Amino acid sequence: MVFRLVLTALLASQVLAVTSSTHTVSLQRKAAARISRSDGSSKAVQASEYFGEIAIGSPPQKFLVVFDTGSGNLLIPAKQCADNACSAHRRYDVDSSKSAVDIAFADAPDKAVEGDGDRDVVTINFGTGEVSGVFVKDRICVGRLCTTGDFVAAVEESDEPFTMVPFDGILGLSLPQMSEGPVFNVLDCMIRDKVFSIVRNARF
């Protein structure tokens, strides 16, 4: 299973390319049956989740993330999160990364938190749960592809569904409009840094 499969689902027959070569990242696939309820009725819906390893920080801290085409942010549990959903997974330690910067506000994505500690806390709702977190800028690597971008370090996570999921965090593959801002979209940051491009390929 390769990263190209996820992009194919999102971008309809487009391929991830680095200069003249294709870069792939191994993924795991998990099939799941979900129940969709509407007007009191129930309907079984089959779904697949693809997840793989990324690295954040210097030195790199490794996390297993689900590649989500329905969101645009990178969300990782933070070390200071004491919820069961966080403690059941690997957590990001901002103090262990030499390249990390605590970011104060989403609309000022390069402004570090000042001495008074004033900063935004964002809450992101999902269909079956929610995550609250703060903003951090750090080095983010998907395989050999690395960029610097902002992400949400979760300080609170709901037990459902996050306690039981096999992955640590979520890497949103959606457009920047679905992110907290352009620098919160990992793919957009890779395009900005020219480590990533999309090309058409009729074979997919």
Side-chain angles (χ1 to χ4, degrees):
M1 208 62 64
V2 295
F3 191 44
R4 181 172 56 215
L5 294 177
V6 178
L7 288 179
T8 300
L10 172 63
L11 299 169
S13 77
Q14 296 179 340
V15 180
L16 173 64
V18 184
T19 60
S20 61
S21 64
T22 299
H23 177 72
T24 61
V25 175
S26 296
L27 297 181
Q28 301 175 50
R29 177 180 178 267
K30 179 185 175 188
R34 298 178 181 169
I35 302 298
S36 176
R37 301 185 187 278
S38 175
D39 299 328
S41 61
S42 297
K43 181 182 178 184
V45 178
Q46 295 299 319
S48 293
E49 296 172 336
Y50 294 92
F51 46 97
E53 192 172 76
I54 67 168
I56 304 175
S58 307
Q61 301 173 46
K62 294 183 179 179
F63 301 94
L64 198 62
V65 296
V66 65
F67 294 92
D68 179 23
T69 59
S71 65
N73 297 301
L74 172 60
L75 295 100
I76 298 291
K79 182 181 177 181
Q80 60 264 44
C81 179
D83 293 337
N84 291 334
C86 292
S87 58
H89 297 97
R90 288 177 279 190
R91 291 176 285 178
Y92 170 77
D93 184 358
V94 67
D95 295 324
S96 294
S97 176
K98 297 174 185 175
S99 51
V101 179
D102 280 310
I103 298 299
F105 310 108
D107 58 359
D110 293 318
K111 182 179 180 183
V113 175
E114 296 180 349
D116 60 6
D118 188 27
R119 68 190 308 181
D120 282 342
V121 176
V122 63
T123 298
I124 299 173
N125 292 295
F126 296 90
T128 55
E130 67 178 28
V131 172
S132 295
V134 294
F135 305 129
V136 179
K137 179 186 291 293
D138 209 342
R139 179 177 168 84
I140 303 164
C141 296
V142 182
R144 294 181 292 110
L145 303 180
C146 297
T147 189
T148 298
D150 291 21
F151 64 95
V152 178
V155 294
E156 293 180 2
E157 288 186 356
S158 60
D159 282 349
E160 299 243 347
F162 299 109
T163 302
M164 301 302 294
V165 297
F167 44 83
D168 305 310
I170 300 168
L171 175 54
L173 297 175
S174 192
L175 297 172
Q177 293 90 321
M178 296 284 288
S179 308
E180 289 297 315
V183 295
F184 287 85
N185 189 288
V186 174
L187 294 185
D188 213 48
C189 290
M190 288 182 172
I191 292 169
R192 174 202 66 198
D193 293 344
K194 299 184 172 150
V195 297
F196 170 92
S197 63
I198 305 280
V199 294
R200 293 277 183 188
N201 189 321
R203 293 178 300 166
F204 295 95

